[in-house]
Amino acid sequence: KMLISYNWIKEFIPKLTESPEEVAQKLSNSLAEVESVERVGDDFVLEIENKALSHRADLFGQLGLAREIAAIIGKEFVLPDTKKLDKVTGEARPATSIEITLPSPEISQRYCAAVITGVKVEESPKWLQERLISVGLRPISNIVDITNYLMFKYGQPLHAFDLDVLGGDPNNLHIEVRLAKEDEPLTLLDDSELTLTPKDIVIANVKDKESLPIALAGIMGGKSAQIRENTTNILLESANFNQFMIRASSRRHSIRSEASLRFEKGIGPEIAMPTILEAIEMITGDVNADLVADKYNPLQREPTQIKINASTVNYYLNTNQSKEQIKKVLNRLEITAKELNDDELILTIPSHRKDLRIKEDIYEELGRIYDYNKIEPTLPTRNLKPNQDNPMWRLKNEVRDILTRAGVDEVISYSFITEEQAGLYSSISDNKLTLKRLSDINSLHLKNTLSPELSYMRSSLIPSITNVIIENAKRFDEFDVFEIGPVTIPQENDLPDEPQLLTIASFKRSKNANDALIRVKSLWKRLVKDLVLPKQYAKVLPLQLNLHDTKGYGFVYEIDLRQVLKERGVKKYDRIALSPPTKQDISFFIPATQEVGPIVDLVYELAGANIKEVELLDIYQSEEMRKSNKKSITLRMIFEDVERSIPDSEINPIREKIESELIAKFNAQIR
């Protein structure tokens, strides 16, 4: 929960006349739900759900909240004079006494540090204790309380180290921000004993060429350098760290702190300096930027600029605001608006509003400050013309219907895959499904990944379906799955191709790969028949999946649905037969290396016009048959005539001819 001190907010909005309840109502209407307003001593505390503010790093301090409230209620926002502590004494040393080493800007953009000697650690004055209590913090000592106070004011965490415990020379101090070493130990303030990894960022004290960690950066300080009652010399820190690495470390070590809460939201490096300057002033009574060692390696980014049209704003919000009214609201949000013409504005976004990236973000800002309750709800204008037919949409639904009726489960998997799986794409050639790899996968790499493991766009559904099968094979002995989804295939000097693919896969935990093979082929043949695809598609062989250590076999088919749309025929319906079909089975031995496809083709050719279907019922090979290099095949012939029942007397001569040809052409032994 986020706690807002009404008295603290009033320091930034001197002309605030609205009651705490009125402020809560306006915040609920325009920002996030205020769940309660409680009196705490002479103050009122508003409790707001901070999950709704996860994209607003600037609102994790009372100053940012006050700026937001001022914009919502239309009052002036000012920065008050800094309050000083009377009993804290000390002297800040020149910044030249501190050497700072930073890694790349992607890890840490800024580190500010100051050495203060001769301080006296004692109880904080009453006003400071009340401020901390109002936002849910327990006062500890004046130095620690000042760092917490400023963190809750600016949203920028600070930390104070005991310089004498570090063994540091106030005139010669070296602080290093670096990645931890593998299995490097660190004990934190709460007595947590950590074993670090190179994915953790640490603050280290460099002495005698040895770099020893004194804090888990952005999360918690180390116990060895904590502020004690007898502390007289301190090192103040105000820094900025990679938000994703801080969040990952916090989760990896199961440590949540007020500092990590703010860093993982993405606070900017700009507020690190003003925060530490105010800390120095509160401790020593002096403020001078030359007292702060400031190592600043910002990521080079141009200020965000967004173009909007006043008429478009009014169209989306259903309002009638003039361009001047819009500019006035934007100025309250500290967004600079410059006129380009009678209707168009170009906006420069302040550095603390990293959530504003596109014009729709601006529409939302204007709408919530205007107050959604003032907007009259109306039905949007709609085109009443019938929608154009979408053949791809119809085909996908038809495929889903065919496969789900056959008992196949549909899956939906991530579009992101690992580097090992990246760049694979499938094609059908020579009646086989093959999987090839692109020569360059860099064009498939994501710039902002959800996780380092899933950092590539897929160019085939097969890697995704393989992951699905491996996971489900832990729970089921056999199953069939399919997926319909887009993939990304790079094109030279052009935008990538994004076809919709269909993948069908079968898995069976069996000693014989044919069990899974027969199942997936039967599903594929059914799909080819029901979609009226050319008959050569029925002869395509699937690809066997690499399931690593999974016991069992998996086979897969994949096809571009655009190809299906292009090559499918018109479905024709036959008359319903008056009599049931006649079925006859043929069982025979053939050489183990002989493919079954040509045999099925021969049966179709010799069976005559009344043959409806030839089914492969069984492929079997015993240990004895394996030694003699044979296998057993059973085919079922289904004959049908719409006018009559076909007697065995007509089928037997056909059967004898087929058996004779099997013996002659395929060295078969009829069982």
Side-chain angles (χ1 to χ4, degrees), residues 458-504:
R458 61 186 179 183
S459 46
S460 166
L461 300 180
I462 292 177
S464 300
I465 213 85
T466 302
N467 296 337
V468 169
I469 288 179
I470 291 173
E471 280 302 311
N472 282 275
K474 298 174 183 177
R475 302 167 182 84
F476 306 103
D477 290 334
E478 58 180 304
F479 53 86
D480 311 305
V481 292
F482 77 94
E483 181 172 9
I484 299 172
V487 298
T488 302
I489 300 178
Q491 303 294 309
E492 189 173 354
N493 301 323
D494 201 355
L495 292 173
D497 189 19
E498 297 181 316
Q500 294 278 341
L501 302 188
L502 163 67
T503 300
I504 311 170

Side-chain angles (χ1 to χ4, degrees), residues 155-261:
Q156 167 67 47
L158 294 171
H159 192 73
F161 300 99
D162 189 321
L163 189 61
D164 295 326
V165 173
L166 295 179
D169 180 355
N171 300 309
N172 185 17
L173 189 64
H174 184 184
I175 298 297
E176 180 183 24
V177 180
R178 61 171 172 82
L179 296 177
K181 301 170 186 175
E182 188 68 51
D183 297 330
E184 190 169 21
L186 177 64
T187 302
L188 300 183
L189 288 171
D190 63 354
D191 294 320
S192 300
E193 295 184 0
L194 307 184
T195 300
L196 304 176
T197 76
K199 295 181 180 180
D200 298 314
I201 310 173
V202 296
I203 312 299
N205 176 38
V206 181
K207 185 182 178 185
D208 298 330
K209 297 183 180 180
E210 188 175 7
S211 178
L212 297 176
I214 56 175
L216 183 58
I219 299 176
M220 191 175 292
K223 190 175 182 64
S224 62
Q226 69 177 340
I227 300 299
R228 297 171 173 83
E229 292 181 0
N230 60 350
T231 296
T232 56
N233 303 315
I234 64 172
L235 170 71
L236 268 180
E237 154 193 296
S238 179
N240 183 268
F241 307 106
N242 182 295
Q243 66 184 100
F244 304 107
M245 296 183 71
I246 297 300
R247 177 168 174 78
S249 288
S250 176
R251 297 187 67 178
R252 182 163 49 250
H253 299 295
S254 300
I255 299 173
R256 294 280 288 172
S257 65
E258 291 290 349
S260 67
L261 172 68

Side-chain angles (χ1 to χ4, degrees), residues 89-159:
T89 58
E91 180 183 354
R93 293 301 180 96
T96 53
S97 64
I98 307 173
E99 179 185 352
I100 298 171
T101 303
L102 284 188
S104 68
E106 287 76 15
I107 297 174
S108 177
Q109 293 187 62
R110 193 171 199 175
Y111 193 92
C112 302
V115 169
I116 303 176
T117 59
V119 301
K120 185 178 180 181
V121 177
E122 57 187 5
E123 187 178 273
S124 298
K126 184 179 179 181
W127 74 265
L128 180 53
Q129 294 189 37
E130 289 175 347
R131 278 284 180 269
L132 296 178
I133 291 170
S134 70
V135 291
L137 282 185
R138 177 178 61 86
I140 298 173
S141 66
N142 50 11
I143 301 299
V144 175
D145 291 351
I146 287 172
T147 61
N148 285 334
Y149 166 79
L150 293 174
M151 176 174 65
F152 273 78
K153 178 179 179 178
Y154 287 100
Q156 167 67 47
L158 294 171
H159 192 73

Side-chain angles (χ1 to χ4, degrees), residues 497-652:
D497 189 19
E498 297 181 316
Q500 294 278 341
L501 302 188
L502 163 67
T503 300
I504 311 170
S506 291
F507 169 82
K508 188 161 186 177
R509 198 183 317 280
S510 171
K511 294 182 179 179
N512 192 343
N514 287 332
D515 294 337
L517 175 62
I518 292 172
R519 173 60 179 169
V520 79
K521 283 204 70 173
S522 67
L523 293 172
W524 176 253
K525 289 178 66 177
R526 176 171 181 169
L527 195 68
V528 169
K529 178 183 177 182
D530 289 353
L531 293 178
V532 198
L533 286 171
K535 289 184 178 180
Q536 64 263 27
Y537 277 102
K539 301 178 182 180
V540 174
L541 293 174
L543 176 74
Q544 183 172 349
L545 294 173
N546 179 9
L547 302 180
H548 303 291
D549 297 331
T550 302
K551 293 182 179 179
Y553 296 93
F555 289 88
V556 66
Y557 280 102
E558 184 168 78
I559 191 169
D560 187 338
L561 289 179
R562 295 176 303 186
Q563 187 177 347
V564 175
L565 274 178
K566 182 179 179 181
E567 298 191 38
R568 69 178 304 188
V570 178
K571 185 174 288 188
K572 297 179 180 179
Y573 294 91
D574 297 327
R575 288 173 53 191
I576 298 175
L578 298 176
S579 302
T582 301
K583 301 177 182 179
Q584 284 210 8
D585 296 345
I586 303 178
S587 297
F588 49 90
F589 297 107
I590 56 172
T593 56
Q594 174 62 52
E595 294 182 355
V596 180
I599 295 175
V600 173
D601 292 341
L602 176 67
V603 174
Y604 270 114
E605 180 184 340
L606 299 177
N610 288 326
I611 188 69
K612 182 181 180 184
E613 189 174 0
V614 178
E615 292 183 359
L616 175 62
L617 288 186
D618 184 50
I619 299 178
Y620 177 72
Q621 189 178 43
S622 64
E623 188 62 34
E624 184 179 342
M625 293 163 63
R626 189 175 289 107
K627 291 178 181 178
S628 58
N629 197 31
K630 293 181 179 180
K631 60 183 175 183
S632 172
I633 303 295
T634 300
L635 298 179
R636 171 165 290 171
M637 301 181 295
I638 303 175
F639 296 88
E640 186 178 76
D641 191 310
V642 296
E643 299 290 349
R644 63 191 180 90
S645 177
I646 303 176
D648 288 342
S649 58
E650 292 185 22
I651 296 176
N652 287 336

